[in-house]
């Protein structure tokens, strides 16, 4: 083994070897249980960010764990075509060339899109490999490859034939920038400060007027009614009358509808069926006409009269000014409300009435709700079920058509001669009604989520009855962030139940968002994003992976600190150095059979602790408690194995004549091999490199057998070592507190009644002398004079400081330190009582001075306490 671990030299070499040996490839084996995870397919526009790194590290840990447990594991990778995002990128690139989609046409545009996929589509896959992802790359899929495209057509046709897909004129969310519809789930709501305008709507003869409150006066040009609650005593007498719509001078009725909130504004609301989803529903109930006044680019259209051609927000200002001039604006008040934005480009969405394709959701949602309530799919943590139920129980029909060119084109065909519409799996060239060949395909594509909803089964070959589908479906765990529960998770569940008749996965493991060290979301605007590949380049993939999962808990956000990455790089080095030490002191191989009667209490202790670790880490991983498992591994390896057992083993290892020398070697190799196996899913590279350098029975840790407890549980020996560790730590702490130089070795007197400890004294005295740096251990019933006591949970230890400390020189040193600290405290007090300093100095400087003052006071007290103790020894 090299003296220093170099991840840059190791990681690419090992990954290449794993791929060449096909360790990640899943071969169907009906004698084994399958364990399947499908990757949440990253967009072909994307590159690895910390959220991806966390998500894929969790998946890799689970897959590597189950592979080692003997399951036939499949981690199926792939990418998503991401219609809106990809099209936006290509349009942006074309803009630099002075081109638009319309200028080059659909066919040429799609050629560019496929070229984009070829150039950028594999980028994130290569980045995942850098992370160590053990996916079955032979089965990699793309949402628009031939097999998945056939699955999309099959689903569309089946749902259409069942009456669950229809084309209709409904209100939809329109993005004026992306120039397409988006579903309700793709609208992100942000709290914005705005205005609530109160506007007079007078009767034709001016005999009365009503006042409506609105946040969107630009849409009033399309009002076709005003509404009141039928139970509102203030307005009952006006129901059925008409008012004149300001600025337009069109008469509109006053209607009654229970939707109206009597407490909001004046209790009278304007009804604009073409520009508000709630108004649309009211319009349907009351047969109101729909007048659209805003176009698909976000500008006022010809129905807006003199405001035609104005941007919708510019028109808002002009309309408000005109209402003021006409005396129709009663008041304007500040108002905070949620405003819908496009999830891709953040443009304020515009509700518009449009003819689109929809999926009827209620019949699909009901079984999807039931299967989670029955526990056949479990959310971890369980609290996220509430989000799922809330969305599914209040679900509206899903608008699936998009006005984009990149994506799965809707398999509907129209005859120009007889207006016949045909939905077909195959391309239609002849009208089935009139025989005309004047047929064209629907221009729209399907929502990206329509195809990714089929991901757990389409990737396994559905609609064909493939062997993969029979063996690996349903999958086991879906690992995802909480922000796409309704985007993706819900849609996969109802799609799988509809088309497979079985749930797509057993568990939905939710993880949180990776935030920066201050708890902020990582974003381009804040400039606080950290590139995982840069971290890997500097510290190695293992250090990044272990940092991301240590201490995490399902569903909760985590903070990313570079200091933790450095600490975990040091952890990898600690394991490396421990392994080098073991290897240098090893002259046995894996065939050595130990004489367990030669094990001392230290061997029995570490083997017992190893058994507990195996049991607990296995249980933690089975329960998806990945952060807890990682922390236990860290504590055991760094503390119990490296800092204690290895140190305790040295006196025996260095004495080749010791009768239990080979038994100690055996235990070192056994513990090291097992912790490498336990740690492998978390830190695959450093563990594999060490394992292959040690004597080993199995070809690779990737396919090695997961450790099982051997039944070691020596409670008495565990207690013995815990007592020793407590004693050694207490002595070490005293040495630090009293500044006892390393070259001074005091005697330790121990008052002890523990018969077992007394019997084993000869062995543990060696450890205490070596690890606490003392001269001798004396068992004594009485405290020696002039000694300092160390109260332990199992007895009392005493150290005679007078014998090892030069009292006078220590008094001199401490007195000088006291004088120095007194001056610092006095200086700081003077400065902090100076009003000029407090008022003019930056707050940061003042705070720093206050911290210094408190620190100096604490240091002064500590020195004075030490002085008193030393004086008492005179």
């Amino acid at each position: 083994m090299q003296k220093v671990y170099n991840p840059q030299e190791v990681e690419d070499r090992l990954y290449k070897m794993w791929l060449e040996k096909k360790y990640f490839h899943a071969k169907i084996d009906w004698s084994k249980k399958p364990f399947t995870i499908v990757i949440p397919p990253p967009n072909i526009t994307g590159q690895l960010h910390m959220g991806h790194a966390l998500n894929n590290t969790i998946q890799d840990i689970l897959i590597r764990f189950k592979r080692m447990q003997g399951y036939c594991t499949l981690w199926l990778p792939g990418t998503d075509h991401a219609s809106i995002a990809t099209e936006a990128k290509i349009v942006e690139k074309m803009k630099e060339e002075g081109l638009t989609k319309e200028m080059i046409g659909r066919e040429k545009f799609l050629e560019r899109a496929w070229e984009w996929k070829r150039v950028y589509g594999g980028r994130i896959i290569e980045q995942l490999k850098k992370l160590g992802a053990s996916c079955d790359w032979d089965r990699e899929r793309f949402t628009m490859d031939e097999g998945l495209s056939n699955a999309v057509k099959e689903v569309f046709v089946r749902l259409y034939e069942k009456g669950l897909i229809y084309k209709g004129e409904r209100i939809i969310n329109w993005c004026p920038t992306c120039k397409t519809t988006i579903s309700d789930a793709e609208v992100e709501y942000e709290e914005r400060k705005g205005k609530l305008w109160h506007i007079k709507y007078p009767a034709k003869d001016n005999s009365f007027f009503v006042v409506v409150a609105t946040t969107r006066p630009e849409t009033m040009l399309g009002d076709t009614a005003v509404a009141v609650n039928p139970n509102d005593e203030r307005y009952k007498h006006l129901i059925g009358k008409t008012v004149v719509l300001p600025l337009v001078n069109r008469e509109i009725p006053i209607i009654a509808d229970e939707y109206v909130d009597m407490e909001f504004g004046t209790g009278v609301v304007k009804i604009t069926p073409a520009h508000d989803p709630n108004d649309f529903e009211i319009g349907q109930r009351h047969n109101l006409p729909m007048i659209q006044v805003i176009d698909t680019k976000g500008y006022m259209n010809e129905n807006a009269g003199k405001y035609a051609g104005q941007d919708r927000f510019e028109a808002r200002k002009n309309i408000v000014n005109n209402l003021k001039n006409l005396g129709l604006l009663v008041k304007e008040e500040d108002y905070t409300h949620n405003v819908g934005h496009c999830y891709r480009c953040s443009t304020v969405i515009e509700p518009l009435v449009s003819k689109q394709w929809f999926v009827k959701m209620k019949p699909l949602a009901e079984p999807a709700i039931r299967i989670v309530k029955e526990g056949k799919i479990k959310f971890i943590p369980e609290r996220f079920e509430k989000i799922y139920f809330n969305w599914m129980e209040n679900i509206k029909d899903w608008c699936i058509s998009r006005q984009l060119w990149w994506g799965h084109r809707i398999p509907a065909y129209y005859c120009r001669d007889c207006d016949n519409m045909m939905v077909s799996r195959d391309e239609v060239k002849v009208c089935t009604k009139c025989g005309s060949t004047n047929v064209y395909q629907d221009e729209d594509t399907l929502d990206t989520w329509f195809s990714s909803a089929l991901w757990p089964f389409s990737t396994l070959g559905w609609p064909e009855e493939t062997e993969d589908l029979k063996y690996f479906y349903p999958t086991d765990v879906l690992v995802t962030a909480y922000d796409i529960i309704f985007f993706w998770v819900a849609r996969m569940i109802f799609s799988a139940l509809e088309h497979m008749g079985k749930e797509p996965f057993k568990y939905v493991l939710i993880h949180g968002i990776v935030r920066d060290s201050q708890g902020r979301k990582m974003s381009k605007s804040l400039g606080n994003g950290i590139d995982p590949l840069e971290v890997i380049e500097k510290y190695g993939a293992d250090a990044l992976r272990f940092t991301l999962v240590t201490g995490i808990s399902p569903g909760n956000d985590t903070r990313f600190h570079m200091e933790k990455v450095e600490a975990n790089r040091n952890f990898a080095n600690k394991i490396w150095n421990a392994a080098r030490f073991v290897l240098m002191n090893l002259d046995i191989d894996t065939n050595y059979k130990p004489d367990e009667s030669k094990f001392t209490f230290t061997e029995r202790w570490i083997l017992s602790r190893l058994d507990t670790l195996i049991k607990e880490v296995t249980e933690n991983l089975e329960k998806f408690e990945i952060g807890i498992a990682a922390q236990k591994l860290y504590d055991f390896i760094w503390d119990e194995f490296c800092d204690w057992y290895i140190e305790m083993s040295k006196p025996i290892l260095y004495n080749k004549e010791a009768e239990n020398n080979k038994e100690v070697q055996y235990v070192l190799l056994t513990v090291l091999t097992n912790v490498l196996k336990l740690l492998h899913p978390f830190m695959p590279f450093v563990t594999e490199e060490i394992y292959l350098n040690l004597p080993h029975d199995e070809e690779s840790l990737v396919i090695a057998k997961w450790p099982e407890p051997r039944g070691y549980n020596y409670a008495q020996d565990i207690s013995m070592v815990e007592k020793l560790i407590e004693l050694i730590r207490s002595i070490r702490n005293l040495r630090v507190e009293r500044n006892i130089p390393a070259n001074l070795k005091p005697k330790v007197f121990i008052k002890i009644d523990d018969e077992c400890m007394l019997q084993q004294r000869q062995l543990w005295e060696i450890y205490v002398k070596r690890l606490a740096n003392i001269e001798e251990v004396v068992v004594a019933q009485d405290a020696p004079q002039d000694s300092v006591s160390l109260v332990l949970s199992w007895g009392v230890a005493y150290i005679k400081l007078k014998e090892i400390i030069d009292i006078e020189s220590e008094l001199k040193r401490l007195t000088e330190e006291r004088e120095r600290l007194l001056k610092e405290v006095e200086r700081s007090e003077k400065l902090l009582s100076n009003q000029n300093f407090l008022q003019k100095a930056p707050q940061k400087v003042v705070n720093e001075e206050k911290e210094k003052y408190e620190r100096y006071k604490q240091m002064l007290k500590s020195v004075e306490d030490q002085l008193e103790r030393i004086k008492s020894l005179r």
Side-chain angles (χ1 to χ4, degrees):
M1 286 175 70
Q2 296 291 321
K3 194 171 182 181
V4 178
Y5 176 60
N6 180 4
Q8 286 72 31
E9 184 274 322
V10 168
E11 291 179 353
D12 287 346
R13 169 170 52 78
L14 283 181
Y15 200 87
K16 188 181 174 192
M17 183 262 286
W18 292 336
L19 291 179
E20 284 170 356
K21 296 205 172 183
K22 297 280 186 186
Y23 289 152
F24 307 155
H25 181 62
K27 288 181 183 172
I28 293 172
D29 182 347
W30 290 95
S31 68
K32 285 184 176 183
K33 270 189 174 181
F35 183 88
T36 315
I37 296 178
V38 290
I39 203 169
N43 295 348
I44 58 168
T45 56
Q47 63 183 55
L48 200 67
H49 57 62
M50 280 300 172
H52 287 127
L54 171 63
N55 178 274
N56 287 283
T57 297
I58 291 170
Q59 291 177 83
D60 196 39
I61 288 168
L62 294 174
I63 279 289
R64 286 179 184 269
F65 165 56
K66 288 293 177 183
R67 189 184 288 123
M68 293 174 76
Q69 278 192 318
Y71 286 80
C72 180
T73 54
L74 170 61
W75 183 13
L76 200 150
T79 48
D80 193 288
H81 65 282
S83 53
I84 293 180
T86 307
E87 186 149 320
K89 292 270 188 188
I90 300 162
V91 167
E92 200 178 304
K93 203 165 179 7
M94 284 168 51
K95 199 174 177 183
E96 293 168 13
E97 302 171 45
L99 297 172
T100 64
K101 282 165 60 178
E102 291 69 28
M103 286 164 72
I104 65 169
R106 187 171 197 137
E107 199 174 315
K108 291 285 183 193
F109 179 81
L110 290 177
E111 283 175 17
R112 283 177 174 250
W114 281 105
E115 177 61 15
W116 174 282
K117 193 264 174 190
R118 190 189 66 77
V119 175
Y120 297 106
R123 180 174 57 177
I124 200 160
I125 296 297
E126 292 309 309
Q127 292 170 338
L128 288 173
K129 290 177 181 177
K130 281 278 186 192
L131 189 67
S134 61
C135 298
D136 186 345
W137 299 111
D138 296 335
R139 283 183 169 89
E140 186 185 335
R141 303 306 297 266
F142 174 53
T143 47
M144 281 181 63
D145 67 27
E146 188 181 352
L148 272 70
S149 294
N150 289 338
V152 168
K153 278 188 272 191
E154 183 65 31
V155 165
F156 188 96
V157 174
R158 284 190 189 188
L159 292 176
Y160 178 77
E161 288 173 351
K162 281 184 78 171
L164 292 174
I165 281 184
Y166 65 92
K167 192 173 188 180
E169 198 166 50
R170 302 283 303 268
I171 195 145
I172 48 90
N173 306 299
W174 181 266
C175 175
T177 301
C178 296
K179 296 182 178 58
T180 180
T181 58
I182 57 174
S183 70
D184 291 342
E186 292 164 319
V187 178
E188 290 183 345
Y189 288 92
E190 290 176 23
E191 205 171 74
R192 288 281 183 93
K193 287 179 180 175
K195 298 286 183 185
L196 190 63
W197 287 277
H198 293 249
I199 303 163
K200 274 186 190 177
Y201 282 50
K204 191 175 183 181
D205 60 2
N206 284 319
S207 58
F208 69 91
F209 63 84
V210 292
V211 177
V212 302
T214 181
T215 57
R216 301 195 63 207
E218 69 277 13
T219 64
M220 67 182 288
L221 307 177
D223 287 359
T224 54
V226 293
V228 298
N229 192 294
N231 302 310
D232 196 330
E233 295 295 336
R234 294 172 294 177
Y235 303 117
K236 273 186 175 179
H237 65 290
L238 297 179
I239 296 167
K241 295 186 177 182
T242 62
V243 288
V244 175
L245 179 61
L247 306 177
V248 179
N249 297 322
R250 173 166 35 84
E251 271 190 271
I252 55 174
I254 299 171
I255 61 170
D257 196 284
E258 292 203 342
Y259 166 77
V260 180
D261 180 0
M262 292 187 280
E263 303 300 317
F264 175 77
T266 61
V268 184
V269 294
K270 58 192 268 322
I271 305 299
T272 323
H275 290 286
D276 183 276
N278 296 312
D279 292 3
F280 177 82
E281 298 295 336
I282 294 170
Q284 295 287 295
R285 287 197 288 274
H286 296 271
N287 294 315
L288 297 174
M290 288 186 287
I291 301 171
Q292 190 170 317
V293 293
I294 300 172
D295 68 16
T296 55
K297 293 178 182 175
Y299 287 84
M300 307 307 288
N301 67 12
E302 65 280 1
N303 294 329
K306 66 178 183 178
Y307 304 100
Q310 294 180 12
D311 172 82
R312 53 188 167 153
F313 299 117
E314 179 194 355
R316 178 183 294 178
K317 290 177 190 169
N318 294 334
I319 286 167
V320 168
N321 286 333
N322 290 342
L323 289 168
K324 272 182 194 171
N325 295 337
L326 292 168
L328 295 173
L329 188 68
V330 178
K331 66 173 176 176
E332 175 182 296
E333 58 186 3
D334 292 333
Y335 186 69
T336 301
H337 60 135
N338 283 324
V339 178
H341 292 74
C342 172
Y343 82 114
R344 276 291 167 200
C345 67
S346 298
T347 300
V348 174
I349 62 110
E350 188 59 53
L352 294 178
V353 171
S354 177
K355 199 164 192 178
Q356 301 289 342
W357 288 93
F358 294 87
V359 176
K360 278 187 189 170
M361 284 311 307
K362 202 172 178 192
L364 295 171
E366 284 169 355
I369 292 166
R370 188 169 59 250
I371 203 159
V372 176
K373 286 191 171 172
E374 289 172 354
K376 288 179 181 170
I377 295 176
K378 288 185 168 69
F379 279 74
I380 299 163
E382 195 178 332
R383 69 177 186 269
F384 285 98
E385 288 180 6
K386 287 179 186 172
I387 295 172
Y388 174 80
F389 290 137
N390 184 51
W391 194 68
M392 293 295 270
E393 285 163 0
N394 296 287
I395 201 162
K396 293 177 182 173
D397 286 358
W398 172 20
C399 177
I400 54 170
S401 45
R402 299 289 179 268
Q403 288 62 56
L404 301 166
W405 287 353
W406 174 241
H408 296 101
R409 198 163 171 184
I410 289 172
Y413 300 82
Y414 307 91
C415 176
R416 289 189 178 91
D417 293 334
C418 72
D419 293 333
N420 181 34
M421 183 179 81
M422 298 149 282
V423 169
S424 171
R425 294 169 180 82
D426 304 311
E427 186 183 354
V428 176
K429 294 183 177 176
V430 178
C431 177
T432 55
K433 188 177 178 184
C434 71
S436 168
T437 55
N438 195 6
V439 171
Y440 67 98
Q441 188 175 353
D442 198 304
E443 290 290 320
D444 288 353
T445 53
L446 286 161
D447 178 8
T448 301
W449 299 102
F450 190 91
S451 51
S452 54
L454 319 180
W455 190 250
F457 53 94
S458 64
T459 51
L460 293 169
W462 188 92
E464 302 301 319
E465 276 287 320
T466 64
E467 289 301 299
D468 274 7
L469 192 64
K470 288 177 197 169
Y471 183 69
F472 291 111
Y473 188 89
T475 70
D476 289 87
V477 190
L478 176 79
V479 181
T480 185
Y482 53 68
D483 54 351
I484 56 170
I485 288 174
F486 32 76
F487 274 124
W488 190 42
V489 179
R491 287 171 176 158
M492 280 191 287
I493 293 172
F494 67 66
S495 298
L497 293 175
E498 173 66 22
H499 303 292
M500 292 296 297
K502 201 161 180 59
E503 68 278 4
F505 28 72
K506 300 177 186 81
Y507 298 97
V508 180
L509 177 57
I510 306 286
H511 62 77
I513 292 168
V514 182
R515 298 183 177 275
D516 71 7
S517 57
Q518 297 174 48
R520 301 172 302 173
K521 196 170 179 178
M522 291 185 181
S523 67
K524 282 182 185 173
S525 57
L526 288 173
N528 62 343
I530 297 168
D531 185 347
L533 290 177
E534 288 179 11
V535 178
I536 290 170
E537 189 61 38
K538 189 171 181 183
Y539 298 104
D542 288 330
L544 173 63
R545 287 167 63 111
F546 208 70
T547 299
L548 287 168
V549 298
T550 306
I552 63 162
S553 56
N556 293 334
D557 292 350
T558 180
R559 293 190 183 193
F560 186 84
H561 300 266
M562 284 306 296
E563 296 81 5
K564 285 186 182 176
V565 185
E566 288 181 34
N568 287 316
R569 186 265 318 272
N570 296 342
F571 178 50
N573 290 336
K574 181 90 169 176
I575 303 161
W576 184 263
N577 293 335
R580 286 187 75 245
F581 169 79
V582 172
L583 198 54
M584 285 189 294
N585 290 281
L586 212 58
D587 55 30
I588 63 166
D589 60 23
T590 55
N591 295 316
Y592 181 74
K593 297 287 182 281
D595 179 353
E596 294 197 9
S597 67
K598 292 181 181 178
F599 287 170
T600 70
F601 63 80
T602 47
E603 280 71 63
R604 290 191 292 272
W605 163 71
I606 197 67
L607 289 169
S608 298
R609 293 296 301 126
L610 175 65
D611 259 19
T612 301
L613 180 74
I614 292 169
K615 183 172 174 287
E616 290 183 353
V617 167
T618 305
E619 285 174 359
N620 292 143
L621 290 178
E622 296 285 11
K623 293 193 284 189
F624 307 110
E625 295 167 346
I626 289 167
I628 296 171
Q631 193 61 55
K632 283 178 182 172
L633 282 164
Y634 181 92
D635 293 342
F636 178 88
I637 293 167
W638 191 291
D639 192 31
E640 293 178 282
F641 182 57
C642 292
D643 285 358
W644 292 108
Y645 183 70
I646 285 181
E647 291 305 317
M648 288 175 176
S649 74
K650 284 178 180 177
I652 309 296
L653 277 183
Y654 295 160
N655 178 9
K656 291 296 179 186
E657 303 306 314
E659 64 167 347
N660 60 336
N661 179 281
K662 283 188 166 44
E663 274 61 37
V664 169
Q665 289 184 47
Y666 167 82
V667 171
L668 279 166
L669 182 59
T670 298
V671 176
L672 179 58
T673 301
N674 278 279
V675 294
L676 289 174
K677 288 180 177 181
L678 294 172
L679 187 62
H680 177 72
F682 300 83
M683 302 178 86
F685 293 107
V686 69
T687 52
E688 176 83 323
E689 183 69 1
I690 293 170
Y691 183 75
L692 296 178
N693 276 283
L694 291 173
H696 56 280
D697 291 331
E698 294 166 287
E699 190 180 311
S700 162
L701 281 181
V702 179
I703 52 171
K705 190 172 182 295
W706 184 256
E708 290 179 5
R710 299 185 186 193
Y712 291 111
N713 186 17
Y714 296 102
Q716 195 174 57
D717 298 303
I718 292 169
S719 173
M720 174 88 76
V721 175
E722 285 173 352
K723 288 171 181 175
L724 281 180
I725 289 172
E726 184 186 1
L727 172 62
I728 293 163
R729 279 185 174 146
S730 297
I731 297 168
R732 285 174 174 176
N733 291 340
L734 183 75
R735 294 187 73 104
V736 172
E737 284 172 16
R738 300 301 175 91
N739 298 305
I740 300 171
N743 63 329
L744 294 180
K745 296 187 176 186
K747 280 183 186 176
V748 174
F749 298 82
I750 301 177
K751 185 179 179 181
I752 182 172
D753 298 319
D754 188 321
E755 203 56 46
C756 185
M757 289 286 283
L758 288 169
Q759 284 172 9
Q760 303 275 351
R761 177 184 165 191
Q762 190 178 358
L763 182 56
W764 61 251
E765 186 174 341
I766 295 169
Y767 300 147
V768 176
K769 285 165 72 173
R770 179 185 175 84
L771 300 177
N773 194 21
I774 61 167
E775 182 189 342
E776 186 184 353
V777 177
V778 179
V779 174
Q781 288 304 309
D782 299 314
Q785 285 186 332
D786 306 329
S787 64
V788 175
S789 64
L790 301 171
V791 180
L792 308 164
S793 63
W794 51 274
V796 184
Y798 306 93
I799 294 181
K800 294 181 73 171
L801 291 182
K802 195 170 183 178
E803 292 177 3
I804 59 166
I805 292 178
D806 183 334
I807 304 289
E808 297 309 318
S809 65
E810 185 65 7
L811 279 173
K812 183 172 182 289
R813 185 187 71 78
L814 288 169
T815 304
E816 287 172 358
E817 180 65 3
R818 180 176 177 273
E819 291 304 316
R820 184 186 75 80
L821 289 168
L822 277 169
K823 284 177 186 173
E824 287 293 353
V825 168
E826 191 181 336
R827 179 200 62 76
S828 199
E829 275 178 348
K830 200 171 179 182
L831 192 59
L832 289 170
S833 62
N834 184 335
Q835 289 303 313
N836 203 30
F837 168 74
L838 293 174
Q839 288 166 11
K840 292 185 178 176
Q843 191 59 44
K844 187 183 174 189
V845 174
V846 174
N847 291 341
E848 283 172 358
E849 192 57 46
K850 286 178 180 176
E851 285 172 16
K852 278 185 199 173
Y853 177 60
E854 292 302 323
R855 192 164 64 248
Y856 289 141
K857 282 203 301 181
Q858 285 173 7
M859 289 166 72
L860 180 61
K861 185 178 184 308
S862 175
V863 167
E864 287 175 339
D865 288 346
Q866 286 181 62
L867 267 170
E868 288 305 310
R869 282 198 292 269
I870 297 295
K871 283 176 185 175
S872 71
L873 296 175
R874 269 176 161 171

